[in-house]
Amino acid sequence: MFAGVGFRTDLRAGRSYRGLGSVLCIAITMLLAAPADAQNVTYSELKFGVLQHDTHLLGGKEHGIDVNPEIIFPSPITDAWKTTLPWYLQWMVQPRPTLGAEFNTSGYTNQYYFGATWSWFLAHDLLRPGDGITFGIFFGAGFNDGAIVSQNPNRKSLGSNVLFREAFELGYQITPVYGVSMFLDHVSNAGLARYNQSINDLGGRISIRF
């Protein structure tokens, strides 16, 4: 951790990682509890989010709102090929290439990312034909213009301008075209650099299938 900040920062970072670990455990539980016939989402989408930057719920100290545009491309893996695999592998073989950004409105860290998104319908036709509950995860690389090492008490020492990025999304597909969701993402260098203060963004997004 950042030596100039001291023990209190270490405690705050510990709370942040424990909070993120709890979210990850919930996400894994949702996947394991999903019905065996949970359907992979493979189509393309445009997403737009409004996120609390470096949320204080997970030990954050940067400020502002992030505007989050994202484009998700169709999975290159066809349903026909997926069905040739054992059932316990089918849920993971249709990632969708993803590009996005998070622009901070208060002059703090901006982020840009690419990677893959895995998404599933957990339930269908709940309130109307074509609606459903969706769950998704993202993994990839994140790039930022933040501080590698900072003496500013309101800025994170990220350790690198290239970080690992993970995200989790729980959504309601209102129609086959439009959806809304709750969204959490996390960037850090996984301890590969001397400093490793993560940024965690939390908020909501809308999606449009195209």
Side-chain angles (χ1 to χ4, degrees):
M1 301 304 297
F2 184 42
V5 177
F7 184 63
R8 285 183 299 175
T9 298
D10 292 337
L11 289 177
R12 181 167 57 244
R15 288 194 295 269
S16 173
Y17 285 117
R18 286 195 296 272
L20 187 68
S22 298
V23 172
L24 180 58
C25 288
I26 292 171
I28 293 173
T29 300
M30 291 185 64
L31 281 177
L32 294 176
D37 60 350
Q39 178 184 343
N40 293 13
V41 177
T42 60
Y43 49 73
S44 55
E45 292 181 278
L46 289 173
K47 299 211 174 199
F48 180 81
V50 177
L51 313 174
Q52 182 185 21
H53 179 77
D54 198 27
T55 176
H56 290 200
L57 294 175
L58 293 173
K61 60 181 181 179
E62 295 195 359
H63 302 289
I65 297 298
D66 283 359
V67 177
N68 171 221
E70 183 179 278
I71 182 168
I72 304 178
F73 298 97
S75 175
I77 306 301
T78 66
D79 288 339
W81 188 83
K82 182 192 76 170
T83 59
T84 66
L85 299 175
W87 65 268
Y88 51 83
L89 295 178
Q90 293 182 9
W91 67 274
M92 62 179 294
V93 297
Q94 291 183 299
R96 297 181 291 165
T98 302
L99 294 172
E102 293 175 353
F103 301 109
N104 185 264
T105 59
S106 299
Y108 289 87
T109 303
N110 298 302
Q111 301 181 62
Y112 314 88
Y113 58 88
F114 72 90
T117 298
W118 290 259
S119 302
W120 306 270
F121 269 101
L122 304 183
H124 287 276
D125 302 330
L126 299 176
L127 301 177
R128 65 186 73 183
D131 75 347
I133 302 297
T134 61
F135 177 71
I137 59 176
F138 168 92
F139 182 77
F143 306 87
N144 67 81
D145 60 4
I148 294 177
V149 181
S150 176
Q151 299 285 351
N152 186 332
N154 292 322
R155 296 298 296 263
K156 289 289 184 70
S157 294
L158 300 176
S160 174
N161 292 128
V162 181
L163 301 172
F164 297 105
R165 182 178 186 273
E166 306 88 40
F168 310 94
E169 189 166 25
L170 179 63
Y172 174 60
Q173 193 70 28
I174 304 170
T175 72
V177 176
Y178 299 103
V180 295
S181 61
M182 297 177 60
F183 182 77
L184 170 69
D185 69 14
H186 166 86
V187 291
S188 70
N189 61 56
L192 298 179
R194 181 178 180 184
Y195 306 111
N196 184 30
Q197 294 184 333
S198 64
I199 292 179
N200 305 287
D201 295 343
L202 176 68
R205 307 207 298 179
I206 60 173
S207 62
I208 303 173
R209 179 177 178 175
F210 69 96

